[in-house]
Amino acid sequence: MKLEEIKNPDLKNYINLVYMQGENKNQEAIDKLEQEIKEYINEYPLIISIEDNEAVKIPYGNDGEYVVPVFTDEREYTLGMQYFSLNVMDENKDYIIEKLDYLKKLKEDPNFLGYLVNISSASYIINTSLL
């Protein structure tokens, strides 16, 4: 599969709906949407930034915790790499296209908080409970 072939408009819609339901404090709808996200990420590939054959990790918090950036399409990947460049992380230029289960071993790491979707725009963390 090629980078330009990756499109995930449904995932973007789910994320936007989670934000809207969060504003409305509708936990029941959020739970339902998170289940939809869980099913979606098990079925469709995303773009994962890698360096030295390992997923790029972004520090998140002060205790060694981190998130792994993933991208929904080529545009978001390009913007994300520009964002990395602005934050002195520009050495991360490689990517793979995989389903998130490819990195299941990360879920076993207590410092892994989840996947950060589209870091350059309205970001959303897919936490480990959804993996």
Side-chain angles (χ1 to χ4, degrees), residues 16-30:
N16 288 333
L17 289 170
V18 167
Y19 280 120
M20 287 183 356
Q21 295 301 336
E23 291 290 317
N24 294 328
K25 298 180 179 24
N26 187 345
Q27 190 60 46
E28 185 177 325
I30 291 170

Side-chain angles (χ1 to χ4, degrees), residues 71-95:
F71 306 93
T72 57
D73 58 34
E74 181 180 20
R75 179 182 172 278
E76 289 294 345
Y77 176 75
T78 302
L79 291 172
M81 291 297 99
Q82 289 171 354
Y83 182 85
F84 281 147
S85 163
L86 293 173
N87 289 286
V88 194
M89 294 185 275
D90 57 347
E91 68 275 7
N92 308 320
K93 297 197 183 303
D94 294 327
Y95 66 88

Side-chain angles (χ1 to χ4, degrees), residues 12 19 72 75-76 79-80 83 117-124:
K12 290 180 182 184
Y19 280 120
T72 57
R75 179 182 172 278
E76 289 294 345
L79 291 172
Y83 182 85
V117 180
N118 294 339
I119 191 172
S120 65
S121 62
S123 300
Y124 175 80

Side-chain angles (χ1 to χ4, degrees), residues 6 26-27 33-34 38 50-51 54 59 65 79 90 103:
I6 300 296
N26 187 345
Q27 190 60 46
L33 287 164
E34 285 184 340
K38 183 176 184 174
I50 62 168
E51 181 179 16
E54 292 203 16
E65 297 174 329
L79 291 172
D90 57 347
L103 299 170

Side-chain angles (χ1 to χ4, degrees), residues 47-77:
I47 301 163
I48 303 169
S49 184
I50 62 168
E51 181 179 16
D52 298 329
N53 294 321
E54 292 203 16
V56 171
K57 298 175 181 176
I58 300 173
Y60 197 90
N62 296 323
D63 298 326
E65 297 174 329
Y66 64 92
V67 293
V68 171
V70 294
F71 306 93
T72 57
D73 58 34
E74 181 180 20
R75 179 182 172 278
E76 289 294 345
Y77 176 75

